[in-house]
Amino acid sequence: GESGHTPAAGTGRAGAAFAAAQSKLGSPYQWSHAGPSTFDCSGLTSWAYAQANVSIPRTSEAQATIGTRIYSQSQLQVGDLVFFFNDIHHVGLYAGNGQVLHAPRSGTVVRYESMSTIGGPFMFGVRV
């Protein structure tokens, strides 16, 4: 494997989900779509985990209620769900190095983005 590419390669379910999401880089954002060719934010995360044979809820708000919460950004691992904004209406997959793999908003495509430029505060992560 590559060395030094990400601080911690995703392992197990999270790694499989992250790899699935990576295969959708460049796919268009479409509200309320959960793949396989267009996605909204929680559609991408739920589709990605489904490829890892893990069923998670469809909406970001519901996804925030599962798994183990991680409040320290330094504890996040690749593939963890990461939630933004006070009403947790946005979710992505942690990509390492302070980056998120996500479907940002209408008019964009699935892409990497720095957590600092999402536009809302990082609230917490969830390890599924």
Side-chain angles (χ1 to χ4, degrees):
E2 285 180 86
S3 61
H5 183 62
T6 50
T11 55
R13 309 189 292 186
F18 186 77
Q22 281 182 307
S23 76
K24 295 302 176 177
L25 282 164
S27 299
Y29 180 98
Q30 186 75 48
W31 169 250
S32 85
H33 282 217
S37 55
T38 55
F39 301 89
D40 66 10
C41 68
S42 55
L44 177 67
T45 53
S46 60
W47 179 88
Y49 268 91
Q51 308 317 299
N53 295 313
V54 181
S55 178
I56 66 172
R58 171 65 185 83
T59 68
S60 58
E61 294 85 357
Q63 289 175 14
T65 67
I66 64 171
T68 304
R69 283 197 181 184
I70 300 156
Y71 290 97
S72 171
Q73 197 173 315
S74 65
Q75 300 300 311
L76 293 170
Q77 294 177 3
V78 171
D80 285 344
L81 298 172
V82 280
F83 296 88
F84 298 87
F85 299 93
N86 293 323
D87 61 357
I88 47 183
H89 73 259
H90 190 68
V91 63
L93 294 171
Y94 188 62
N97 291 320
Q99 303 275 314
V100 179
L101 177 54
H102 70 150
R105 66 193 70 84
S106 185
T108 65
V109 298
V110 175
R111 67 187 186 200
Y112 293 104
E113 190 166 353
S114 168
M115 289 172 72
S116 63
T117 62
I118 298 289
F122 166 70
M123 303 306 291
F124 51 83
V126 163
R127 188 155 300 149
V128 178

